[in-house]
Amino acid sequence: GESVGLHLPTLSVQEGDNSIINCAYSNSASDYFIWYKQESGKGPQFIIDIRSNMDKRQGQRVTVLLNKTVKHLSLQIAATQPGDSAVYFCAEWGAQKLVFGQGTRLTINP
Amino acid sequence: SAVISQKPSRDICQRGTSLTIQCQVDSQVTMMFWYRQQPGQSLTLIATANQGSEATYESGFVIDKFPISRPNLTFSTLTVSNMSPEDSSIYLCSAFTGKGPYGYGYTFGSGTRLTVV
């Protein structure tokens, strides 16, 4: 949904563990969803996408789950590595535009 | 996927002045978008810029403050006019560089970090 609030939620995980990042989207008519990773000083980088006619899609070490009933997306990262430290955003495509969610800062503990 | 180049990458500007940010895509694209990202926050869409038509602005953003040009299918500019410290932010351009929205090619530039003093 639209960006709200001043502070990004933070998720801390141990290196090697799996991470699950959650996102609630706002528009039930949105038909395409994307997860982005943003490192400090850089623009968002595409991770994985999913269409609304799917409920799961897997990539390399990442899986996106879509629950349209409750308008919820999640990003699962397997075997989290130090290079996964970043802010993660979900984005929904609808009405000819891409709207970003709030974002989650993922930190990796050694 | 295609590459989007933005410049300047950062600038420090005096209040009351204007800054024009350039966005160049290395392939032809129909839709380009401008976003603002305030410190520690998510991305907010400013406007959509399609070649051959006027930009479409989101609620809270107006053309007088953020005029946009889209002279061809590979280039766009965003101007931040009459700047105040509240305009300090990262400005990002993006585009569909794949075959429409249902694919891999929704790409962002690296952003312009603007500080207004």
Side-chain angles (χ1 to χ4, degrees), chain A residues 80-91:
Chain A
T80 311
Q81 303 169 357
D84 296 327
S85 292
V87 178
Y88 291 81
F89 294 99
C90 68

Side-chain angles (χ1 to χ4, degrees), chain A residues 27 31 92-99, chain B residues 30-33 35 45 48 50 56 58 96 101-102 106:
Chain A
N27 186 354
D31 54 10
E92 58 183 301
W93 173 262
Q96 295 293 300
K97 59 187 178 184
L98 195 68
V99 175
Chain B
T30 304
M31 303 177 77
M32 294 182 73
F33 305 86
Y35 287 82
L45 182 64
T48 302
N50 293 330
T56 302
E58 296 299 304
F96 281 127
Y102 299 106
Y106 194 92

Side-chain angles (χ1 to χ4, degrees), chain A residues 2-3 5-8 31-32 34 36 38 41-44 46 49 51 89 93 96-103, chain B residues 31 33 35 37 39-45 48 58 90 92 96 101-111 113:
Chain A
E2 296 292 344
S3 171
L6 297 177
H7 303 287
L8 292 172
D31 54 10
Y32 176 60
I34 309 173
Y36 284 94
Q38 187 177 29
K42 298 182 179 179
F46 173 96
D49 58 359
R51 300 190 191 189
F89 294 99
W93 173 262
Q96 295 293 300
K97 59 187 178 184
L98 195 68
V99 175
F100 278 72
Q102 184 177 18
Chain B
M31 303 177 77
F33 305 86
Y35 287 82
Q37 185 175 28
Q41 296 194 36
S42 186
L43 285 76
T44 300
L45 182 64
T48 302
E58 296 299 304
I90 299 171
L92 295 136
F96 281 127
Y102 299 106
Y104 189 90
Y106 194 92
T107 306
F108 280 81
S110 56
R113 184 178 297 272

Side-chain angles (χ1 to χ4, degrees), chain B residues 20-21 23 25 30 39 49 51 54 70 72 74 78 85 108-109 114:
Chain B
T20 295
I21 302 167
C23 180
V25 189
T30 304
Q51 195 267 338
E54 291 191 2
R70 182 78 203 275
N72 57 51
T74 63
L78 170 76
F108 280 81
L114 170 63

